[in-house]
Amino acid sequence: MNIDQKRQQAAKQQNKLQLKASHQGCHIKATGIPLSRKLCYAIGGMPYQMTLNAKAFFMPIFLLDVVHMQPYYVSIILFLGRAWDAVTDPLVGYAVSKSGRTRIGKLIPWIVCSTPLGVISYIMVWHTPQENMSAVSSFCWYFFWICLFDTFLSCYHVPYSSLNMFLGGNDRDRDSATGYRMGMEMFATLLGAAIQGQIVGVHHAKKANACSHLNNSEALTDNDSVTLDPNFTSPDTTLQNTRQAYLISALVIGAFYFLCCLVLFVGVKEQLAPLSKLDRIQVPYLTGMKMIVKHTPYLWLVFGFFFSSVAFQLAQSNFALFSTHAAGMGAYFQHLMLILLIAATLSVPLWQMVLVRLGKKTTIFMGLSVSFFSLLLISFFSFLGFALTAILAGTSLATLFLLPWSMLPDVVDDFKVKNPSFTDLEPMFYSCFVLCNKFGGGLSNGVSTLALQFVGYQPGACRQNPRVITTLQVLFAPAPIVLLLIGMLLFFFYPINEQRRQQIQTELQKIV
């Protein structure tokens, strides 16, 4: 009898190991995520940040001062374009969840197939087909290509961000992979801004110089004489060169987009995760969304991220315009932007170490507090003070890149523990998270340009009226500060601290 009992116990233990192996893809033998896989995964995130931040920094000034589009149309394009982008994210997330697993995985095929179309549409976003286009034709052209590009970028980024849950390893390994990813994404933001900023920044500086010549000549009386600089370039000639520069920078960034996708495809293979089979979900779309939005930790994280992200994006979208028209540093804004982004890139490893020691919730409060004070001071300095304060702002920006994306897997694991029968919803979690970020960006861009329309912004003008200057000052600092305070308040109520996170991992191990 004792022998039979031992045999039964051995059989049960074997079945348990087989079940665990089926959930984890034989991950029980793995010791962690290889460094090469982390690096290839991190490089795969570069296209999203390169293109997104190039659009965020340069699209408003491109449409206003290069295309010469009225602020009203610009506000519609930026807001509705991001709204469309936000709507497509949960739809793409559900489509990815419903798709079957192929020989190369479930998520990677979406990334690979969307890349060529994304590269082409991104290039077309920065292409001006005619010298002079009617207001309606210009609006339709840019709105169509922006929406098309955002759709293909969603098809890339939603499965890519979900891939974090399927790299193998445990929660610490995922956090480490997220740290590598955010470090590379910050570098991608820096690289994209450097490419676009240095290529087009020269022409913006020439325009500022041309405007300076014109302003000086207008200040002379009829009896005065002036000798123009022989190297003087008229604003019209500078405009043509600027349009060509934007297209060249788009071609360069598009090439990086394709190469990064290739590295991801070669270096990353999908691994099964606990309570996830990488198969088609069996629940209807609305049922899955209802389960997700009812998950309290997810709501606190999403809305905290939303308000903090809107604060940063509001300052980001007005950075070039503020530097050009309010701070009088139009010839230097690309250098200020690089200073900010270099500080952010170098700060990612620092914040990664801090979150390991102090926990994620504490770390995000520290980072956002730094941003609060930097925004409070940044609009009151000359170039040197502006640059020093931009370093603080960049340091804080790194926390917004790193922490929310590092906290999201904890929320997904918490959902799995509480709802073990609802599996393979990771793409829907990540798509809704991206939705709020993109919708916030569209809202900040739309409100900004609409406000400029009401106060009389003149596209392409060398001088703007005092109301425009005041509006840019408000949009660049006071408004983001208020939004940051709201975001910090919401993060305060976020319920998953380090103790709860460890408890979730223990419960998850018991389930599998």
Side-chain angles (χ1 to χ4, degrees), residues 67-377:
V67 180
H68 289 178
M69 188 180 295
Q70 291 297 319
Y72 174 74
Y73 288 110
V74 175
S75 65
I76 295 177
I77 286 179
L78 296 180
F79 177 72
L80 291 184
R82 294 306 294 270
W84 167 259
D85 190 17
V87 168
T88 58
D89 280 323
L91 297 178
V92 170
Y94 183 70
V96 172
S97 299
K98 291 292 288 184
S99 61
R101 191 176 182 186
T102 67
R103 188 176 60 179
I104 62 172
K106 174 180 180 177
L107 305 174
I108 291 179
W110 282 83
I111 298 172
V112 173
C113 294
S114 64
T115 294
L117 300 173
V119 170
I120 294 172
S121 56
Y122 179 76
I123 293 171
M124 298 305 294
V125 164
W126 302 99
H127 173 57
T128 305
Q130 298 177 8
E131 280 288 320
N132 297 308
M133 299 176 64
S134 67
V136 175
S137 299
S138 182
F139 169 82
C140 293
W141 172 267
Y142 289 103
F143 183 68
F144 171 78
W145 285 111
I146 286 174
C147 289
L148 197 63
F149 168 71
D150 288 338
T151 301
F152 292 131
L153 190 62
S154 295
C155 293
Y156 181 100
H157 189 248
V158 169
Y160 169 77
S161 57
S162 304
L163 192 59
N164 178 260
M165 300 294 297
F166 303 100
L167 295 174
N170 55 28
D171 61 313
R172 291 291 184 184
D173 296 318
R174 291 200 313 255
D175 288 345
S176 175
T178 301
Y180 279 96
R181 170 193 164 188
M182 293 308 159
M184 292 304 296
E185 288 195 1
M186 282 306 311
F187 175 71
T189 303
L190 173 63
L191 184 62
I195 292 171
Q196 188 129 331
Q198 295 307 308
I199 293 176
V200 307
V202 175
H203 299 281
H204 281 292
K206 288 181 178 179
K207 180 192 173 184
N209 183 48
C211 286
S212 177
H213 278 84
L214 291 176
N215 290 336
N216 290 336
S217 63
E218 288 172 1
L220 298 173
T221 64
D222 293 339
N223 295 325
D224 291 328
S225 62
V226 61
T227 301
L228 290 178
D229 187 341
N231 296 322
F232 170 73
T233 305
S234 70
D236 291 338
T237 304
T238 302
L239 180 62
Q240 296 173 4
N241 295 334
T242 305
R243 289 176 176 176
Q244 294 176 359
Y246 271 102
L247 183 59
I248 292 171
S249 64
L251 289 168
V252 176
I253 291 176
F256 274 101
Y257 190 151
F258 182 82
L259 290 175
C260 291
C261 175
L262 183 62
V263 171
L264 176 71
F265 173 70
V266 172
V268 177
K269 306 298 179 187
E270 298 174 20
Q271 311 291 319
L272 295 184
L275 296 179
S276 296
K277 302 176 183 178
L278 274 174
D279 203 354
R280 292 183 174 92
I281 62 171
Q282 302 302 319
V283 298
Y285 175 73
L286 293 179
T287 302
M289 288 297 299
K290 183 179 179 181
M291 293 297 298
I292 288 173
V293 299
K294 286 173 60 178
H295 192 54
T296 303
Y298 185 68
L299 292 180
W300 287 117
L301 178 61
V302 163
F303 284 109
F305 180 52
F306 172 78
F307 281 97
S308 303
S309 177
V310 171
F312 276 103
Q313 291 185 76
L314 190 61
Q316 181 188 50
S317 62
N318 289 285
F319 186 78
L321 293 171
F322 174 84
S323 300
T324 301
H325 299 296
M329 289 182 279
Y332 308 106
F333 81 87
Q334 70 270 18
H335 304 305
L336 294 168
M337 181 178 58
L338 288 179
I339 291 171
L340 185 149
L341 295 176
I342 288 172
T345 303
L346 296 178
S347 300
V348 170
L350 171 65
W351 290 117
Q352 178 69 23
M353 291 188 292
V354 173
L355 78 86
V356 171
R357 289 181 175 271
L358 302 181
K360 301 174 184 179
K361 188 172 179 178
T362 302
T363 304
I364 198 167
F365 266 97
M366 293 173 59
L368 295 181
S369 298
V370 173
S371 178
F372 173 83
F373 290 107
S374 64
L375 285 172
L376 194 63
L377 298 173

